[in-house]
Amino acid sequence: MHRISKRKIPRSILRPLYLVLAAALISPLLAAPPEAGQDSLASPLPTLHQELPDDQYVPVPREGRPTSPAYRFSISNFITVQVNVNAQGQNIVGDAANEPSIAIDLTDPDRMAIGWRQFNSSTSNFRQAGYAYSIDGGQSWTFPGVIDPGVFRSDPVLDSDSQGNFYYNSLTVSGSDYFCTVFKSSDGGATWDSGTFAQGGDKQWMTIDKTAGMGKGHAYAYWTQNYSICFPGFFTRSTDNGASFEDCVAIPNQPFWGTLATGPEGELYAGGAGGNNFIVAKSSTAKDSNQVVSWDFASIVNLDGAISAFAGSNSPNPGGLMGQAWIAVDRSGGPHHGNVYLLCSVNRFSNPDPLDVMFARSTDGGLTWSAPVRVNDDPATNAWQWFGTMSLAPNGRIDAVWLDTRDNPGSVHSSLYYSCSTDGGVSWSQNERLSDAFNPHLGWPQQNKLGDYFDMISDETGAHLAWASTFNGEQDVYYSYIMAPPVGIAEPIDRPVAAASFSLSQNYPNPFNPGTRIEFSLSKAAQVAIEVFNIRGEKIAALLNQPLTAGSYSIEFDGRGLANGVYLYRMKVGNAAKVRKMLLIK
């Protein structure tokens, strides 16, 4: 890894006095819904800022520290691997890691990196830019340490460009200034350069244009205006692959605690909270390096609730956000091409539910928005559905995950839940519990929170999730792959009448190495074909294609010679088909 050189810190920029006066006049942040016909566009109060190095840096060598077995878990459609482990793959006892973000190499999906807030000891809130990388599709991780040793860093945000380079946006502080550095890696996150000053401020988010248009490779970032190094601006752009970042501009209506996304033509969308509602702003000029970034409009979006933060000691995440706003744009070329989506865990206005995962969509490029839809399907109104996180697959499937207390009423103990939509967010699949429950109040590194967000990237067959939990009794970072309900390869899937004449079981064992058994049954004689595909939909094996009589059968599949990863097997009987997923881990 390169030795990190210290950069000259930008001079403090005096904030206008009216910010202080305005803070005194603004009512407590997001405390109640607005009156009918009114919209609050206030940014977070400066007094709420918590990204401060209260504790001094104390080196804590990893060698010789106590260890315990790393947490690992898998079921048929979900695998979880601990990321912040030592060289022997063991959990490091006594440290803390949270607020993870993930990047995947589009030229080689087996290469990925996760960054997080690394606390060398849970007795200190001094945090650094932790990172790890994987070269086998997330099945194992190497955690070399931190990017900038001894430097206070927070709010990690990772992304990749279409050439396979990774970028790590990291917040730091000097005096009253909050600013960001973007580090770049050209080897899958194994090493990082010395970083580039990227303007910035608290709770920044970054995205990189992966379209083939004029904005290809552009990096965009925005953050909370009240904590900006370049107030009143709080948005910046890089048009030279991260070598430099432009002077700041403002976004209309000052969205905050949100994210960015690029559309099919490289148009840029910024989505975030806006007081008691949400804001989505669009720029058609951001992709053109010859133009200054300007904004077409900023629309108000109703999610029937307000973003929630600092929700009190009885909440699952007392000292942090309960989830940020996520925006995504469909670039699939399918029936929902160009749709814009917004999702967030919100404190509801129309009922007493403390938090629901709410979703809205726009079919006209962000100008107007649908009525809000609830993603979680629990019937009660007393559970916390927090850290709602959304990502969009290349085929247009919308994936959503969140932490959910429904299984432990009256408690903050939370489990990971999942749902998806294949019709542009009109309807959502039955919620699926993926993990055991854990106590998010364990292992606080002198901060009473599990960070402020998770991060997720979807592919054609599932979602790659970077998240934090306390399965080891302390805060740790995990990589999970969630296998989505199969579509596309299996068309038509499970037709009610035809599919009732046969059944296809989940392979066993799963995960497997190198062999596994696939069982199926027929209620009547039929021609049966069973084939295996990789995650790109390419057929790699034909296991069976012959007429069979009614009865139960099994067939063996040998994955010797195949790479680690997710595979699909399809059983076709006439015009009906069923698909299951299996995971090869060597």
Side-chain angles (χ1 to χ4, degrees), residues 414-436:
S414 303
S415 303
L416 186 70
Y417 268 74
Y418 169 80
S419 181
C420 70
S421 174
T422 57
D423 58 7
V426 175
S427 63
W428 291 81
S429 66
Q430 180 178 349
N431 295 178
E432 185 174 6
R433 181 181 177 180
L434 296 177
S435 79
D436 292 332

Side-chain angles (χ1 to χ4, degrees), residues 152-288:
F152 178 90
R153 293 199 168 278
S154 196
D155 291 5
V157 179
L158 276 66
D159 202 359
S160 64
D161 61 26
S162 58
Q163 307 304 309
N165 300 302
F166 290 174
Y167 301 82
Y168 190 128
N169 193 315
S170 177
L171 172 73
T172 192
V173 58
S174 176
S176 61
D177 283 337
Y178 310 99
F179 62 94
C180 294
T181 305
V182 170
F183 302 94
K184 184 176 181 179
S185 173
S186 299
D187 57 7
T191 60
W192 301 84
D193 70 9
S194 58
T196 299
F197 171 66
Q199 306 290 351
D202 184 33
K203 204 53 60 197
Q204 84 286 2
W205 200 261
M206 177 182 68
T207 194
I208 297 173
D209 188 341
K210 300 177 184 63
T211 68
M214 66 169 62
K216 179 180 179 180
H218 287 187
Y220 308 108
Y222 95 102
W223 49 92
T224 308
Q225 185 187 47
N226 277 355
Y227 311 116
S228 181
I229 188 69
C230 46
F231 183 92
F234 57 104
F235 170 91
T236 189
R237 170 181 70 172
S238 172
T239 62
D240 54 11
N241 304 109
S244 64
F245 285 80
E246 297 176 350
D247 292 342
C248 302
V249 301
I251 304 175
N253 289 352
Q254 297 82 46
F256 59 91
W257 295 346
T259 53
L260 296 154
T262 52
E265 305 303 322
E267 66 274 29
L268 178 67
Y269 294 87
N276 288 300
N277 278 291
F278 292 82
I279 303 298
V280 170
K282 177 182 178 180
S283 173
S284 298
T285 63
K287 63 185 177 182
D288 188 346

Side-chain angles (χ1 to χ4, degrees), residues 509-566:
N510 189 46
F512 67 97
N513 175 31
T516 190
R517 183 173 67 255
I518 298 170
E519 297 181 344
F520 61 96
S521 63
L522 299 171
S523 62
K524 59 182 180 180
Q527 180 77 21
V528 178
I530 298 180
E531 298 169 320
V532 179
F533 300 82
N534 62 23
I535 61 172
R536 293 180 293 275
E538 301 165 340
K539 185 169 70 174
I540 60 171
L543 303 184
L544 181 69
N545 188 6
Q546 67 184 69
L548 295 175
T549 59
S552 298
Y553 298 87
S554 69
I555 190 169
E556 300 292 326
F557 173 65
D558 190 343
R560 191 176 291 110
L562 297 177
N564 285 342
V566 177

